[in-house]
Amino acid sequence: MKLLKFPWLVLIKILKFMKIPDLINISLTSRRLREQYTNEINPGQIEIEICNYSADIWIGEFEIKFSSFTTDDIAPIGVRTIGPFTFNVFCLFGDENKSWETVVEDIYTPCWTLAQYYMTIFPKAELGLFCCQDELNERTLQLLSSWDLDLFKEKLFKFPVESENNKNLANQYCKKNHMSAIGYHWDKINIGTKNYGEVESKFRFSDCWLSDKYWTNYVLVSGLKIGIEAWRDLIKTWTRGKLNELVFVRASVVTGLNMLEVTEGFLTHIWNDEEMAKFEERTHFSAYFEQKGTIIHNNFGRKASLHFDQENSIFTMVVWNTRVFKKCLFLFPEIQALF
């Protein structure tokens, strides 16, 4: 192969500028090229998004969509091969170098097979986001149970409130991951989870917000070292009215937290039973009503209480007059089951 005649540094530079499909396919032609060169390249994160009618996989900026059907306005570009697959391809978004679509009977299996193949070719690539949307049938859920979703740094699940199967799948990863953000929007639940590996010190609560921070209702954090600036950023964001639908934040395994330092400069005061009496009917939060935390106000008249249980190393923020649907508040007992 002529490529192998180039000096190592020159060859690596050439490979880095290759289109992803070409880079993958050329690695198949030479074991030496694959083992000595392409495994030194990180083409970007690998991400997967699935729903009832399609499964998308990205590697860096290159996307392949496996669809149950396609539309007439997408241009066919012919037969293409990538890794172990050869199929008829349509061009998405007018650029065949960045996106392909193909119609297949089984949309999920080739997507996952290709992800595994990418990881073999590019061991430095990271599995970033796995996104699961819509109500999934039993067959799909069974297939997902065979996928090692723990390999993905982030998981995002969007499903109807009544979907017990999807909820159970999402809850499984909420309990295993460092951070979970849960939101209720238009009769759908959005659950995002994330693992931080060895970079705990970089955690920020801004990582927790779902695609629209106004959809974020509950945030659960466990086993992370949270710096003082992260705590203050959470409170600052809320006091400025950017989290008007936030209901509850809970962080466990919290040590060495100085509440005076956390709240310095914010409008706070000690708990007042008379002032808070109107919220006593919120029986979901009765335990926190009894704990009588520090009251904090935001710029739009909302009240929250901050609680730090030093003995059990748990920090909690409860927003008492948040702007959410009652159905969202009714989720709280299920949220508690994730603690």
Side-chain angles (χ1 to χ4, degrees):
M1 179 180 287
K2 292 182 179 180
L3 272 176
L4 294 176
K5 295 180 180 179
F6 286 101
W8 188 84
L9 289 176
V10 174
L11 179 54
I12 288 293
K13 195 165 187 177
I14 292 172
L15 294 174
K16 282 183 177 179
F17 283 95
M18 273 190 171
K19 300 165 189 173
I20 293 294
D22 294 338
L23 187 58
I24 290 172
N25 291 333
I26 202 171
S27 70
L28 284 173
T29 64
S30 168
R31 181 177 177 180
R32 180 185 167 196
L33 185 68
R34 182 169 63 252
E35 292 180 350
Q36 295 184 14
Y37 299 100
T38 57
N39 63 4
E40 293 296 319
I41 295 172
N42 184 351
Q45 287 195 340
I46 298 168
E47 299 186 350
I48 287 178
E49 180 176 326
I50 69 171
C51 64
N52 284 331
Y53 53 84
S54 68
D56 292 62
I57 181 168
W58 286 263
I59 180 163
E61 296 182 353
F62 181 71
E63 173 192 5
I64 298 180
K65 177 189 285 286
F66 297 95
S67 297
S68 301
F69 57 86
T70 190
T71 57
D72 295 334
D73 58 347
I74 298 180
I77 56 176
V79 176
R80 295 289 186 272
T81 296
I82 185 166
F85 297 107
T86 298
F87 34 60
N88 288 312
V89 169
F90 297 83
C91 179
L92 281 172
F93 313 120
D95 188 347
E96 69 171 278
N97 295 321
K98 289 190 175 181
S99 55
W100 294 353
E101 180 175 6
T102 185
V103 178
V104 291
E105 185 174 344
D106 178 358
I107 58 177
Y108 304 118
T109 302
C111 187
W112 180 242
T113 302
L114 203 52
Q116 294 173 308
Y117 188 79
Y118 284 164
M119 291 298 291
T120 301
I121 299 296
F122 306 111
K124 289 191 175 182
E126 181 181 52
L127 286 170
L129 174 68
F130 172 83
C131 179
C132 176
Q133 301 200 56
D134 299 331
E135 174 75 53
L136 299 179
N137 59 38
E138 289 287 346
R139 178 181 174 276
T140 304
L141 289 167
Q142 187 174 5
L143 176 66
L144 286 181
S145 68
S146 68
W147 295 14
D148 189 359
L149 299 186
D150 284 322
L151 294 173
F152 289 87
K153 186 177 180 181
E154 297 182 58
K155 273 78 67 179
L156 179 61
F157 303 89
K158 302 178 181 181
F159 52 88
V161 173
E162 64 275 7
S163 174
E164 289 300 321
N165 286 333
N166 290 51
K167 190 182 299 181
N168 291 338
L169 178 67
N171 289 353
Q172 172 186 340
Y173 291 99
C174 284
K175 292 179 179 180
K176 295 164 69 174
N177 285 205
H178 286 127
M179 183 278 294
S180 299
I182 301 154
Y184 174 89
H185 185 72
W186 295 113
D187 287 330
K188 276 196 172 185
I189 297 176
N190 295 260
I191 297 180
T193 73
K194 187 172 183 178
N195 262 331
Y196 285 81
E198 302 299 321
V199 291
E200 298 178 2
S201 61
K202 295 183 179 180
F203 172 79
R204 293 291 183 270
F205 279 96
S206 56
D207 296 343
C208 302
W209 317 141
L210 298 169
S211 55
D212 185 331
K213 62 170 64 74
Y214 295 102
W215 298 356
T216 306
N217 306 132
Y218 300 93
V219 175
L220 307 177
V221 181
S222 178
L224 289 175
K225 294 177 182 177
I226 305 174
I228 187 67
E229 289 306 316
W231 292 113
R232 290 182 59 79
D233 183 63
L234 165 67
I235 295 173
K236 180 171 67 175
T237 305
W238 179 78
T239 57
R240 290 180 175 178
K242 295 182 179 179
L243 293 167
N244 260 345
E245 298 194 9
L246 186 66
V247 177
F248 184 84
V249 178
R250 183 184 190 272
S252 60
V253 199
V254 177
T255 56
L257 183 63
N258 185 326
M259 289 295 286
L260 290 177
E261 191 176 358
V262 168
T263 59
E264 183 181 2
F266 295 106
L267 182 61
T268 64
H269 61 79
I270 62 173
W271 184 279
N272 183 300
D273 280 340
E274 185 176 346
E275 175 190 356
M276 300 298 290
K278 60 183 177 181
F279 302 119
E280 193 169 6
E281 63 186 25
R282 292 207 167 174
T283 55
H284 294 328
F285 301 138
S286 57
Y288 303 101
F289 195 92
E290 294 299 322
Q291 287 179 15
K292 306 184 188 303
T294 299
I295 300 299
I296 186 166
H297 300 256
N298 79 356
N299 296 340
F300 295 86
R302 308 203 183 277
K303 297 178 183 179
S305 56
L306 307 177
H307 309 257
F308 180 44
D309 180 350
Q310 192 165 358
E311 183 178 348
N312 294 301
S313 304
I314 296 172
F315 169 89
T316 311
M317 176 178 177
V318 181
V319 183
W320 294 94
N321 56 343
T322 187
R323 189 190 65 186
V324 294
F325 296 108
K326 286 187 177 180
K327 285 184 179 179
C328 176
L329 294 177
F330 293 158
L331 291 175
F332 186 68
E334 296 184 46
I335 305 298
Q336 283 182 300
L338 300 175
F339 292 177

